[in-house]
Amino acid sequence: MAETILVKQEIEPGKTEQAKDVFRAVGEFKNTDAAVEVLEKEGVYTESAFLQRAEDGDHVLYYIEAEDGKEVYDVYQDIMADPQGETEGMEDFLAEFQDVVTGEPFVADVEFLYHMTTPDRP
């Protein structure tokens, strides 16, 4: 059964508007072979990103459905360590991504209550 996790990552101070542009650009390549390969390596079924503005700084929140949260993180670490590696076609995005976020992503300090999907989900 898939895990449902909420991951949080800090946006570099002063770069929120740039970060919004970077993350919105995902829509331009989300169905490319490179993007699909990354999702498959991570074991991710669904990933969505949200902007959270707070007094202590702005963050990206990622809603993720995946087979194994640890595998998602491990693949993420591999990609960030070698962005030119197996992500052909995503190099520009990864460079821009690394410019607008700071620190490691972490599982958000939230209490999971429920996750529901329709059995006929496309």
Side-chain angles (χ1 to χ4, degrees), residues 2-8 39 44-51 60-66 72 108 112 114-117 121:
E3 295 180 33
T4 303
I5 54 178
L6 187 64
V7 175
K8 189 172 184 175
L39 291 175
V44 169
Y45 300 116
T46 304
E47 179 176 309
S48 301
F50 301 86
L51 173 64
V60 178
L61 299 176
Y62 307 94
Y63 163 85
I64 300 172
E65 283 181 280
V72 174
F112 181 78
Y114 77 91
H115 177 71
M116 186 168 58
T117 59
R121 180 179 167 178

Side-chain angles (χ1 to χ4, degrees), residues 76-93:
Y76 168 85
Q77 290 288 46
D78 290 346
I79 290 170
M80 292 299 103
D82 183 17
Q84 304 300 320
E86 300 178 34
T87 56
E88 186 176 335
M90 293 179 57
E91 298 89 348
D92 291 343
F93 167 76

Side-chain angles (χ1 to χ4, degrees), residues 70-122:
K70 182 178 179 334
E71 183 66 18
V72 174
Y73 185 73
D74 289 347
V75 171
Y76 168 85
Q77 290 288 46
D78 290 346
I79 290 170
M80 292 299 103
D82 183 17
Q84 304 300 320
E86 300 178 34
T87 56
E88 186 176 335
M90 293 179 57
E91 298 89 348
D92 291 343
F93 167 76
L94 291 171
E96 293 172 3
F97 171 81
Q98 290 178 321
D99 185 52
V100 298
V101 297
T102 184
E104 292 291 316
F106 57 93
V107 175
D109 185 17
V110 295
E111 181 178 353
F112 181 78
L113 298 175
Y114 77 91
H115 177 71
M116 186 168 58
T117 59
T118 179
D120 301 347
R121 180 179 167 178

